[in-house]
Amino acid sequence: MVALADVYTITKDHQKAYDLAVNALSIIEQPSMARSTLMDSLLVETEKPGILLVKAKSEYALSANKDVPFLKRLLGDLAEAIELLEKRRSTSAELGNLTTLVETNKDIFSFAKMITAELYDKTGEPNYIDQLASLHESGLYNRIRLRV
């Protein structure tokens, strides 16, 4: 489902991408998914960041009014995706899958930086500069870690 939503995002059919992302989130957030097998819970943790990214990008593209509350909500979704990635990063480092994780999910960090910069432009609040620096440092840290 995520792959198809990505295709719709690439082809700029943002409404279909959004609909698929919302549908995928409703499926993986069902309580039965959390209580099922270990494989299902790993699948949820693996797929959810990408789904959240597709949803956020689609909402951003579809929105005519990119006001501060809207951007804050998108940033909240992206923060959840990044939190899941950070959680997976420690496991992936142990398993040797860090390269794939960083390469696959750098888009999440890039989009989060773009939204954070836009929030700073609209509000002038210095905490957004701090968040932007933190996101940038995290991306650099991940790339450096790959080379070590």
Side-chain angles (χ1 to χ4, degrees):
M1 210 180 271
V2 177
L4 184 56
D6 280 336
V7 169
Y8 284 132
T9 301
I10 291 167
T11 60
K12 305 213 182 302
D13 193 342
H14 299 292
Q15 186 61 56
K16 285 185 181 176
Y18 175 79
D19 293 342
L20 273 174
V22 168
N23 188 20
L25 282 172
S26 71
I27 291 169
I28 66 171
E29 290 178 342
Q30 290 178 0
S32 61
M33 286 295 282
R35 290 188 299 263
S36 58
T37 67
L38 175 62
M39 188 61 124
D40 286 342
S41 66
L42 287 173
L43 181 64
V44 167
E45 285 195 20
T46 301
E47 296 296 323
K48 192 170 182 180
I51 295 168
L52 289 168
L53 176 63
V54 168
K55 181 178 174 275
K57 280 184 168 183
S58 299
E59 282 185 277
Y60 184 83
L62 291 169
S63 178
N65 183 18
K66 295 172 178 69
D67 60 1
V68 172
F70 171 77
L71 294 171
K72 283 183 177 181
R73 188 174 53 73
L74 286 184
L75 192 57
D77 288 348
L78 294 168
E80 181 183 353
I82 289 169
E83 183 180 321
L84 288 167
L85 293 176
E86 296 295 330
K87 189 169 143 182
R88 276 183 45 214
R89 183 176 62 185
S90 62
T91 307
S92 294
E94 293 167 9
L95 299 175
N97 296 336
L98 194 56
T99 302
T100 306
L101 179 67
V102 170
E103 286 303 314
T104 306
N105 296 299
K106 66 182 175 185
D107 289 343
I108 293 172
F109 286 96
S110 295
F111 193 63
K113 287 193 297 188
M114 186 189 89
I115 297 298
T116 304
E118 193 166 336
L119 276 165
Y120 176 73
D121 287 343
K122 288 182 182 282
T123 66
E125 293 179 23
N127 65 316
Y128 292 118
I129 291 293
D130 295 338
Q131 285 180 356
L132 192 57
S134 176
L135 287 167
H136 188 70
E137 286 173 1
S138 183
L140 288 174
Y141 171 76
N142 286 334
R143 287 193 298 260
I144 291 168
R145 208 165 155 194
L146 281 176
R147 294 180 182 158
V148 174

